[in-house]
Amino acid sequence: MFVSNNSCLAPTSFWLTGIPGLESLHIWLSIPFSSMYLVAVVGNVIILAVVKVERSLHQPMYFFLCMLAVIDLVLSTSTMPKLLAIFWFGAHHIDLDACLAQMFFIHCFATVESGIFLAMAFDRYVAICDPLRHTSVLTHTVVSRLGLAALLRGVLYIGPLPLMIRLRLSLYRTQIIAHSYCEHMAVVTVACGDTTVNDFYGMGIGFLVLILDSLAITASYVMIFRAVMGLATPEAKLKTLGTCSSHICAILVFYIPIAISSLTHRFGHHVPPHIHILLANFYLLIPPILNPVVYAVRTRQIRERLLYILKAGAHPK
């Protein structure tokens, strides 16, 4: 399974602890986690189905929403099946290549999701600040290219992470990763040798994604609010801001948990390990659960279509 080099190992697999410190509660923890995962999958599949069926929703904002739904499905599915396997079957082992693949998917698609939120902010900016050009600027082709650009950025940013670990960090102090999935810093922490390059690269990506994207989104909303404040009546202001409310809620749902988890991981040295891991799992589960809820509640067309489907199911011919 591994080759020893003094006190370091060259493992072919790792052992994921699950939620360290709460091993005796794993079977009970599986109930809320499996329920949340089921809600996330069903909710996002429903959003995809409703947007596909309802032609009035074939607009840039809802195409971006479909991209978010796909991303959220990938993010939650990258971690939850393995976590539930640990809870239910004690399947703690994960091959090195599977570990690196899981790391890539988690960090890559979190980066892609941030890029989609940035594209959605651009869509709202054009729709409110230059409404006459919205349909000509945000064409289906442009929306597709923005989505592809977000995906390519995620691949370019995160692609080096597993490669750097594979090529530079072949020896580890232990096979045990005190986490429920192969998060970059959790793997680097148990590595032997100099991890400075990995540490700085990880922090650099975090800065580019979290800080720069959030600043760009904030700047777009400053310009949006300035345009809204120039509208004639309070009713017009509220109606215009209402078109942004779902996007703002989704942004907060995404950035706040990931920021809290990142800060706790890097600076919360006195926080119990199980709190670290629970927060890390929640930031991958909360957006997939809440994004469909937010858009279903705040978007009239989606809400009406869902009610129509439910009524049709309740009264079949």
Side-chain angles (χ1 to χ4, degrees), residues 11-289:
T12 58
S13 65
F14 290 108
W15 174 279
L16 296 171
T17 59
I19 312 295
L22 299 179
E23 287 85 355
S24 62
L25 299 176
H26 274 182
I27 194 66
W28 296 106
L29 287 171
S30 70
I31 298 173
F33 275 102
S34 60
S35 301
M36 287 189 289
Y37 178 52
L38 179 62
V39 170
V41 170
V42 171
N44 284 287
V45 169
I46 287 175
I47 289 291
L48 290 169
V50 169
V51 174
K52 178 179 174 59
V53 169
E54 186 59 56
R55 295 190 62 83
S56 65
L57 298 178
H58 292 185
Q59 304 172 29
M61 184 170 75
Y62 302 109
F63 289 141
F64 287 130
L65 176 58
C66 287
M67 295 178 195
L68 282 184
V70 172
I71 292 165
D72 286 340
L73 287 171
V74 172
L75 277 175
S76 56
T77 303
S78 296
T79 56
M80 284 304 108
K82 181 60 181 178
L83 178 61
L84 294 175
I86 292 172
F87 287 165
W88 289 335
F89 311 116
H92 293 272
H93 277 101
I94 183 169
D95 289 340
L96 176 60
D97 290 335
C99 180
L100 296 179
Q102 186 184 53
M103 178 193 302
F104 172 78
F105 277 104
I106 292 167
H107 294 296
C108 176
F109 280 89
T111 302
V112 175
E113 184 154 2
S114 183
I116 296 300
F117 281 126
L118 184 57
M120 294 173 80
F122 174 67
D123 168 62
R124 291 298 84 204
Y125 166 75
V126 176
I128 292 171
C129 297
D130 197 0
L132 297 178
R133 298 184 59 220
H134 182 244
T135 54
S136 62
V137 173
L138 270 297
T139 63
H140 290 185
T141 300
V142 170
V143 170
S144 300
R145 288 175 178 173
L146 288 173
L148 181 60
L151 177 60
L152 290 176
R153 186 186 72 151
V155 172
L156 289 174
Y157 279 8
I158 305 303
L161 280 181
L163 290 176
M164 289 166 65
I165 289 177
R166 187 68 159 162
L167 298 175
R168 298 187 70 256
L169 304 177
S170 58
L171 299 177
Y172 295 84
R173 292 188 299 275
T174 176
Q175 287 178 279
I176 300 172
I177 297 176
H179 211 296
S180 60
Y181 57 83
C182 289
E183 196 266 342
H184 175 247
M185 286 306 300
V187 176
V188 170
T189 299
V190 299
C192 294
D194 185 9
T195 62
T196 303
V197 174
N198 300 74
D199 292 336
F200 276 105
Y201 189 83
M203 286 189 290
I205 295 301
F207 174 80
L208 287 173
V209 175
L210 283 177
I211 305 300
L212 294 188
D213 282 9
S214 59
L215 286 176
I217 292 170
T218 301
S220 71
Y221 270 98
V222 168
M223 291 185 284
I224 288 171
F225 289 140
R226 287 178 60 186
V228 169
M229 291 303 104
L231 297 175
T233 65
E235 291 79 9
K237 293 176 183 178
L238 287 174
K239 183 177 179 181
T240 305
L241 286 176
T243 64
C244 301
S245 59
S246 299
H247 183 226
I248 293 172
C249 290
I251 289 171
L252 295 176
V253 164
F254 176 76
Y255 282 107
I256 290 176
I258 198 172
I260 291 174
S261 178
S262 298
L263 290 172
T264 304
H265 188 81
R266 292 190 181 278
F267 304 110
H269 302 298
H270 301 293
V271 178
H274 64 272
I275 300 297
H276 283 290
I277 310 308
L278 287 172
L279 285 173
N281 280 285
F282 286 150
Y283 94 69
L284 293 178
L285 265 180
I286 290 175
I289 291 171

